[in-house]
Amino acid sequence: MTRTTLDLWVGIFVVAGFAALTVLALKVGNLSTYNTSETYQLQAYFSNIGGLKSQASIKSSGVLIGRVSQISLDSERFEAKVTMLIDKRYQFPKDTFANILTSGLLGEQYIGLMPGGDEKFLKAGDEIKKTQSAMVLEDLIGKFLYSKAEDSN
Amino acid sequence: MIIENLRSIGHRIVNAVWRIGYASRFFMLILLYSGVSFRRFHLIIKEIFSSGVMSLIIILVAGLFVGMVLGLQGYETLKRYGAESALGSLVALSLVRELGPVLAALLFASRAGSAMTAEIGLMKATDQISAMALMAINPIARLVAPRFWAGVISVPLLAALFSVMGVFGGYLVGVVLIGVDQGSFWSQMQSGVDFRYDIVNGMIKSAVFGVVVTVIALFEGYVAPPTAEGVSGATTRTVVQSSLAILFLDFILTAFMFQGE
Amino acid sequence: MSSQTLVEIRDVNFGYDSRLILKGANLTFPKGKVIAVMGGSGSGKTTLLQLIAGALKPSSGYVKVDGQVIHKLDHKDLFRMRRRMGMLFQFGALFTDLSVYDNVAFQMREHTDLPEEIIRDLVLMKLHAVGLRGTEHLMPVELSGGMARRVALARTIALDPTLIMYDEPFTGLDPISLSVVANLIRRLNDALGATSVVVTHDVRESLKIVDYIYFIADGVVAAEGTPDEIRASDKPFVHQFMHGEMDGPVPFHFPTGDYRQDLNLRP
């Protein structure tokens, strides 16, 4: 085999390998939904985050607008502090409501943002004051049983 | 009798430790003498051809079948919980995180690693390596380092190709044959697989495997006794040791990379 | 040591583990000569070549090449010294993944910055010198034993070495190839003005081409002399070696216990 055909084959191999990596990144993975440079940061405190994980999606009206970047426990307020990265294209009023929701009955948990009516918008580093914690199945069942018991009384 | 056994066990342990030390020094020498390989890149290209390109077919075919099996088995299991739509996510995650890097490295070890060992071992047995040293050419720089870098470059690329073929295989079985919804297959996959967390970590894994497999293969060839039995024993050891090393390191790396958040 | 000496080996002891192979060997190779080093298998002839090339270190004594003690050179100087040496291995040791052309061109490409046209001319000249011009495109597996040996010889002289070492160059060759290789050794040595050391146990062929002969037995020089002196020698060792007798100073049997005892025979 002469050197030129050998080079050709190695070239095909390397190009195919990198093409495979690109397919993995764009088609299989979620790189296409990253927009690292154009995000701003918001915080929110929840009394219970349920099964929320970092990299979970943040949606508004069902549209993906950002991702959870960090979750930690605030040791002064004893609440979960969730840091979010929101796409710069989307601005939200100050009184926006953050909800931890579940996609489907057993699906992943995500944060849903419901815009309020305030004239001022949230800036980078601001805190979303109005939050609602995750629905925990045990609590729901507990409430259900409690109300049933009340009904029968 | 007991003392004799103990002594032979001790001897084997000392021998194993000695080999690990020698192999580490060998690895250092490869890195130290890698300059020549990069200045004359066609040496590496030639070796990428004989290790990487020659492994393409087995990697592509194996990837396709592994993906098809994943599609079939995953569907059977997910169906019980009514979660067939998660099939894409299951297939892609299994491949990108584990099966792609591990199986591609295992196949590379048995296809290209054993060939490397045999080649270097035979070169040594026929005095080619001594001849090179006496020509004032460092055999590690000229023979070993290009093969090492070819392996390190090839294995991650092969792993990526393996994963893509696997996803395609899963798609064939899941979507085309069984009829899982195409939209949910892809969207579940995209929301389930994270680029930095899953794909980059998978690539790091396979680069580590590439280093380990080629170092083992080249070392075994380089220290093989210059006889027919010596070389055949060395190729067997290459496959056994690199397979064990891949699986062991996979456990270690997985524990580091994918610990829960 | 005179300026006419290229290699000087003084009181060299060398051994693997506890077994001594060389026990105070003294040899001198003058410039421009072809010297044969003979001895039975395992007598340390190849070890001697490896000591000269610096692949092994003597336990005591020294090997000097062109006035420099080999085992005291650092890595860089040793490699510089090796560029002036050529070594022909027992079975040629051609690089099996390279063609004949690339084998001969190998050292030129590694050690010089010559343009490819000049390398091409040099390779053809070297191949012509061993009578194998026209085989450039062949791979080593396509060559016969004698041809492979001659290609290896062309590769050995690729950079015009001052010292050429031959490790058993006649092993496994038919009589015609054997005399071709033997004559090449002599002719190339004179043409290049080099010094050649031939390690061999082929007595008849080497007597025809060499200037001086060393016999090595039991790790020391057992006999030495010009071919004529060796032919006339009455030393029992030389006589046994020259005529290929089975038993003599070099015993047929491996030194071991009494045969009768081994078979449990009572006298």
Side-chain angles (χ1 to χ4, degrees), chain B residues 33 36 40 46-47 119 123 126-138 142-143 147, chain C residues 53 55 75 79-80 82-83 85 87 89-90 93-98 106-107 109-111 155:
Chain B
Y33 294 126
V36 180
R40 294 168 57 191
K46 200 178 148 203
E47 298 307 327
E119 196 182 12
M123 280 185 164
T126 53
D127 282 335
Q128 293 181 46
I129 287 181
S130 329
M132 199 171 274
L134 287 183
M135 286 174 190
I137 296 156
N138 189 325
R142 182 64 174 68
L143 287 178
R147 284 170 171 76
Chain C
H75 186 77
F79 266 44
R80 194 170 297 142
R82 281 186 185 172
R83 286 173 63 166
M85 299 178 182
M87 173 107 153
F89 281 81
Q90 196 160 2
L94 289 174
F95 301 130
T96 38
D97 58 334
L98 299 178
F106 189 80
Q107 290 187 81
R109 286 184 182 143
E110 296 287 332
H111 287 316
R155 187 183 65 177

Side-chain angles (χ1 to χ4, degrees), chain B residues 120-227:
Chain B
I120 298 282
L122 279 175
M123 280 185 164
K124 191 185 169 201
T126 53
D127 282 335
Q128 293 181 46
I129 287 181
S130 329
M132 199 171 274
L134 287 183
M135 286 174 190
I137 296 156
N138 189 325
I140 291 187
R142 182 64 174 68
L143 287 178
V144 177
R147 284 170 171 76
F148 169 77
W149 287 109
V152 174
I153 293 169
S154 296
V155 174
L157 295 179
L158 290 171
L161 285 164
F162 187 99
S163 296
V164 167
M165 279 311 275
V167 168
F168 180 64
Y171 170 82
L172 274 187
V173 168
V175 176
V176 178
L177 250 61
I178 298 178
V180 173
D181 179 55
Q182 176 167 348
S184 65
F185 183 86
W186 289 116
S187 67
Q188 282 276 349
M189 189 185 294
Q190 290 205 9
S191 64
V193 181
D194 185 68
F195 178 72
R196 261 173 247 160
Y197 189 58
D198 297 312
I199 297 177
V200 171
N201 277 345
M203 286 299 115
I204 292 174
K205 265 189 184 181
S206 64
V208 172
F209 296 158
V211 170
V212 170
V213 171
T214 43
V215 167
I216 289 176
L218 294 167
F219 176 73
E220 285 296 341
Y222 204 75
V223 300
T227 58

Side-chain angles (χ1 to χ4, degrees), chain C residues 59-121:
Chain C
S59 342
S60 68
Y62 64 84
V63 177
K64 261 190 192 173
V65 178
D66 214 9
Q68 283 175 291
V69 178
I70 288 294
H71 68 264
K72 286 199 176 134
L73 294 176
D74 62 17
H75 186 77
K76 222 169 116 195
D77 287 333
L78 179 64
F79 266 44
R80 194 170 297 142
M81 179 62 86
R82 281 186 185 172
R83 286 173 63 166
R84 299 173 51 205
M85 299 178 182
M87 173 107 153
L88 182 69
F89 281 81
Q90 196 160 2
F91 291 103
L94 289 174
F95 301 130
T96 38
D97 58 334
L98 299 178
S99 68
V100 166
Y101 181 94
D102 290 330
N103 261 286
V104 180
F106 189 80
Q107 290 187 81
M108 304 176 190
R109 286 184 182 143
E110 296 287 332
H111 287 316
T112 68
D113 296 321
L114 294 174
E116 199 56 37
E117 305 93 72
I118 296 183
I119 287 184
R120 197 191 104 88
D121 293 350

